[in-house]
Amino acid sequence: RPRALARADSEHNLSENPLRTDGAQSPYVPVQPSAPDDLSDGESPLFCPFEADWYGRNKGSPVGFDVGRHNVATSDDFLPAAVEYGTCPHRVQQVMLDHAEVVIGNYNHLFDPNTRGLTEHLLDEQTFVVVDEAHRLEERVRDLLSDRVGRHTLARARNDLRSLLTTAKQSETNRQQVRDELQSYEVSLTAVEEAVDFLGDVLEWLDDRVAEYLANEGYNPRDTRDLPEYDQEIPLRDPETDEPDDLTRWAEQHGYTGGLWRSLADIGTAAEAVIEDDGDRSAVCGAVGITLQRWWERDHATYFREIELEHAPKESGRAGAAWAQTYTPALVTYNCMPARALRETFAGLGGGVLMSATLEPLDVFREVTGLDRLEAGAGDAEARPVVERRYDLRFPAENRASFLVDATPFTARNRGDPTRDNDNQTREEYRYVLRTLARSPGNVLVCMPNYREAAWAGDYLADAVEKDVLVDESSSNEATDDLKAEFFRGDGKVMVTSTRGTLTEGVDYDGEKLSTCAVVGVPLVNVGSPRVRAVRRAYADAFGEDNAFEYALTVPAVRRARQAIGRVIRGPEEVGVRALVGQRYVEGARHSVHEYLGPGEQAEFTRMTPDFLGPQLDRFWSDHVVADRATDD
């Protein structure tokens, strides 16, 4: 009955302006309806007609796979169809998932505990998984399995519990009712009171810790003008040592023992259920309780605790906390070692293919993703076969030129600060290389180690070449899409970006969108970051001290570089230049990363000094311009 009463053609809710979404017209009015009195115990709560329609169909879907071309249904197909039927698109997708033969989606849904419920029922020993871009598994899963809880969310959780206590204090009847509801979850009012005190003290500790850190770093936490304009990490233990963190130690010193920490999930979940039963608002105390329980229970070698300060300026902040106008703090439990989670997930599947053009070295990939231990049957898991396959690049070799430019290593020590050390010898050498590459015909992508160096290179090239020069920076997806569109439009241009940015992976520069790609330096992450140091320590424990830097830092950095140069040649008819710039890419050089290139790349890339780069580029492009003209004739 509720869904019928909400329909626009119902005699109860006639409307000339039905609800529309995604270009589709629904059978409902654009106002959320209320349930009739005879179905709501004297109240008239709001309800969702789309959800009600799904229940009215006995949890079925009026939308089938025939809405998509060749029975392949995407959100662009089933969303408008579901709206027109007046049923919930999310429920439609849920029903269709149960009947799909192939599901294509982000592989986060394999590993993210927050979304795994959407696909849990699909993943068993009958499931075969194909994972593209598998070289990113380690990095992505590490992030997915890390916990973050911001200060605002902590305060909301405390306020959730406070509101429950306030309700209980309004009368003896209320107190008894709240006590009884909590008791059904085996939680007492006293436990809620203790949790409120604890969260309040954690918030106070967090504020003091941030202010103390900023002061120790030489900044005035009470003056927003004195604070640096970038994100920061506050380590809560020595990243090189397996030991309890500062928050855990503080809690123990103040009587907040493991019993309280472990009870926070139950307390928060019970309170959240009581609050949401009242229909007032969405509570967060349950999720926060679970996160804080894991903070206590997880080991300190695999999980690194820290405070994350996100630079997010606001118009106003809390009284007495000027730094809060500049930063948004969060407590982070960072997963340093995702191999076990990867192994356990793969062990629960029937089989799969992990593929990428940049998995080498395969022995390292097998170790850091847990495949070696899966093959050996580690723990209680049954031993599983793991087979390797390699495929060469099948496009004509004569269509590409591949260079290793033997220039001074572009390291922070050699190049100095781009804002101050502009006249040193290393930068002068790279100015020459950059302008030589940028003058290649067509679109040229220059990938620098970070956005700061990209800004330096962009400033220089803007005056050094007769092309438009675009400079990418860390920005929104919309801004990046606009920049790409400008790069692809019209005559050849130069795009300067960070090798660790979004323009170097997953972007298909097909056709004539890109003719040359140069990667400058080895794009290592900030090795001094507390988080990175903790990862390196965890890898040393798991794979040996001698392998820690290689596995945790060098191999992922070289994969980034190889992904970037892979943007050039996307099809058999395409022509382009690939350049890895810096002595560390050369075989036999000090700290060489040459061994981490693929076998085909090691054989094909030609070493040369910067002086020979220009003539080699001219020869390659001259040959291909002549060939193109001959074809046109």
Side-chain angles (χ1 to χ4, degrees):
R1 285 185 57 193
R3 65 180 176 130
L5 294 174
R7 291 185 178 274
D9 58 358
S10 166
E11 62 180 0
H12 297 279
N13 283 296
L14 293 175
S15 174
E16 296 180 357
N17 183 30
L19 175 66
R20 296 175 181 271
T21 186
D22 199 45
Q25 176 177 312
S26 79
Y28 305 126
V29 294
V31 178
Q32 192 171 6
S34 301
D37 292 342
D38 59 337
L39 296 178
S40 56
D41 297 327
E43 299 181 359
S44 297
L46 299 176
F47 71 94
C48 174
F50 294 94
E51 183 84 351
D53 186 89
W54 177 70
Y55 277 106
R57 296 178 187 275
N58 194 26
K59 300 183 179 180
S61 169
V63 180
F65 290 94
D66 56 346
V67 298
R69 185 182 180 189
H70 302 308
N71 283 338
V72 178
T74 70
S75 58
D76 291 336
D77 303 315
F78 65 74
L79 174 56
V83 170
E84 290 173 358
Y85 276 107
T87 198
C88 175
H90 300 288
R91 296 297 192 180
V92 165
Q93 185 181 35
Q94 179 181 331
V95 174
M96 295 176 75
L97 279 174
D98 290 335
H99 298 88
E101 295 180 350
V102 177
V103 177
I104 301 174
N106 192 311
Y107 61 61
N108 288 5
H109 298 316
L110 272 176
F111 306 101
D112 188 351
N114 294 318
T115 63
R116 179 67 183 265
L118 296 173
T119 54
E120 189 73 49
H121 60 295
L122 303 177
L123 304 173
D124 56 28
E125 66 278 0
Q126 299 298 313
T127 305
F128 189 88
V129 173
V130 179
V131 177
D132 193 13
E133 304 293 351
H135 65 280
R136 297 197 64 189
L137 271 174
E138 189 183 2
E139 174 188 347
R140 293 284 292 275
V141 173
R142 180 185 291 131
D143 192 62
L144 290 172
L145 297 181
S146 299
D147 284 337
R148 289 171 177 80
V149 57
R151 188 196 187 284
H152 176 69
T153 305
L154 283 168
R156 279 188 60 193
R158 179 195 57 182
N159 293 339
D160 288 342
L161 301 179
R162 273 182 173 175
S163 69
L164 192 62
L165 295 178
T166 299
T167 299
K169 292 176 181 178
Q170 289 174 348
S171 68
E172 186 58 37
T173 300
N174 283 3
R175 185 177 184 83
Q176 189 60 48
Q177 181 179 352
V178 170
R179 182 186 288 116
D180 291 345
E181 290 178 325
L182 289 173
Q183 192 58 48
S184 66
Y185 294 92
E186 299 183 355
V187 170
S188 68
L189 264 177
T190 301
V192 176
E193 292 170 348
E194 292 174 349
V196 168
D197 292 340
F198 173 69
L199 289 174
D201 286 347
V202 168
L203 287 166
E204 185 176 342
W205 175 89
L206 178 59
D207 289 348
D208 291 344
R209 188 70 175 80
V210 172
E212 177 188 1
Y213 166 80
L214 292 171
N216 290 340
E217 291 295 307
Y219 305 111
N220 183 358
R222 298 182 179 276
D223 186 354
T224 58
R225 297 168 298 179
D226 189 48
L227 299 173
E229 298 180 355
Y230 50 81
D231 297 349
Q232 298 183 70
E233 297 176 64
I234 305 176
L236 298 181
R237 70 162 170 87
D238 179 358
E240 311 289 345
T241 307
D242 176 8
E243 61 184 4
D245 60 277
D246 292 346
L247 175 57
T248 300
R249 286 173 169 169
W250 164 87
E252 290 178 327
Q253 291 169 2
H254 287 77
Y256 295 120
T257 62
L260 173 63
W261 285 87
R262 285 189 288 269
S263 70
L264 290 172
D266 291 338
I267 294 171
T269 300
E272 188 170 304
V274 175
I275 292 168
E276 294 188 344
D277 280 347
D278 294 338
D280 291 345
R281 58 193 177 87
S282 177
V284 299
C285 51
V288 169
I290 292 171
T291 299
L292 292 178
Q293 178 183 349
R294 290 199 291 242
W295 180 288
W296 173 270
E297 292 180 340
R298 284 174 166 170
D299 70 90
H300 292 272
T302 303
Y303 291 90
F304 178 63
R305 278 76 160 173
E306 65 178 5
I307 298 171
E308 188 177 72
L309 287 184
E310 179 189 3
H311 182 254
K314 311 169 189 65
E315 293 183 2
S316 62
R318 303 186 313 281
W323 59 262
Q325 300 177 34
T326 304
Y327 302 112
T328 299
L331 294 173
V332 177
T333 313
Y334 189 72
N335 184 300
C336 299
M337 181 60 62
R340 180 176 179 179
L342 285 164
R343 183 181 77 247
E344 290 175 349
T345 298
F346 294 141
L349 303 174
V353 173
L354 309 180
M355 62 184 187
S356 171
T358 55
L359 290 185
E360 289 94 350
L362 289 180
D363 59 333
V364 176
F365 180 77
R366 290 170 62 117
E367 281 200 76
V368 299
T369 56
L371 293 179
D372 271 357
R373 289 176 61 80
L374 180 66
E375 185 176 36
D380 297 331
E382 180 183 352
R384 305 286 295 276
V386 178
V387 180
E388 299 174 6
R389 292 288 185 269
R390 289 180 173 87
Y391 302 93
D392 295 331
L393 190 63
R394 293 177 293 173
F395 304 147
E398 60 269 19
N399 281 3
R400 58 187 182 268
S402 305
F403 303 127
L404 300 179
V405 183
D406 191 356
T408 303
F410 197 68
T411 62
R413 177 180 298 178
N414 290 339
R415 66 183 184 248
D417 187 331
T419 63
R420 292 181 297 180
D421 302 325
N422 267 315
D423 296 326
N424 71 44
Q425 185 175 354
T426 298
R427 288 197 180 275
E428 187 56 38
E429 185 177 11
Y430 277 85
R431 286 190 184 96
Y432 175 80
V433 173
L434 289 173
R435 68 174 178 265
T436 301
L437 289 162
R439 289 170 180 169
S440 292
N443 281 343
V444 177
L445 183 66
V446 176
C447 307
M448 303 298 290
N450 53 55
Y451 285 116
R452 196 178 185 205
E453 292 296 341
W456 169 79
D459 286 343
Y460 167 69
L461 289 174
D463 296 325
V465 297
E466 296 180 357
K467 282 183 174 184
D468 289 340
V469 176
L470 308 177
V471 180
D472 181 32
E473 58 186 19
S474 181
S475 59
S476 66
N477 291 334
E478 293 77 11
T480 302
D481 288 341
D482 291 342
L483 194 65
K484 280 190 297 186
E486 186 178 356
F487 185 51
F488 297 154
R489 189 168 48 241
D491 296 334
K493 303 177 182 67
V494 179
M495 173 80 83
V496 188
T497 186
S498 164
T499 311
R500 304 193 63 81
T502 57
L503 290 176
T504 58
E505 286 198 56
V507 179
D508 200 4
Y509 296 89
D510 58 314
E512 298 181 355
K513 291 178 181 176
L514 188 63
S515 66
T516 298
C517 179
V519 174
V520 174
V522 180
L524 291 165
V525 297
N526 178 9
V527 296
S529 159
R531 185 178 297 176
V532 173
R533 290 166 58 203
V535 170
R536 185 178 173 184
R537 177 70 263 157
Y539 274 53
D541 292 342
F543 309 119
E545 187 67 46
D546 292 343
N547 296 323
F549 195 93
E550 173 190 1
Y551 286 18
L553 298 167
T554 305
V555 170
V558 175
R559 285 185 182 137
R560 284 274 188 174
R562 296 173 62 216
Q563 279 288 319
I565 61 171
R567 301 304 97 193
V568 179
I569 304 294
R570 311 300 290 175
E573 304 300 323
E574 296 180 16
V575 176
V577 172
R578 307 179 297 173
L580 295 171
V581 186
Q583 192 178 79
R584 290 189 62 187
Y585 288 107
V586 176
E587 185 178 13
R590 186 170 183 264
H591 300 310
S592 173
V593 298
H594 188 267
E595 64 179 300
Y596 305 124
L597 301 176
E601 292 161 343
Q602 293 181 28
E604 186 173 329
F605 274 74
T606 302
R607 173 192 171 275
M608 67 182 58
T609 62
D611 292 342
F612 284 92
L613 179 60
Q616 290 295 325
L617 284 171
D618 291 342
R619 184 176 298 112
F620 174 79
W621 287 117
S622 176
D623 291 344
H624 282 281
V625 168
V626 171
D628 288 345
R629 287 175 180 169
T631 302
D632 291 340
D633 293 342

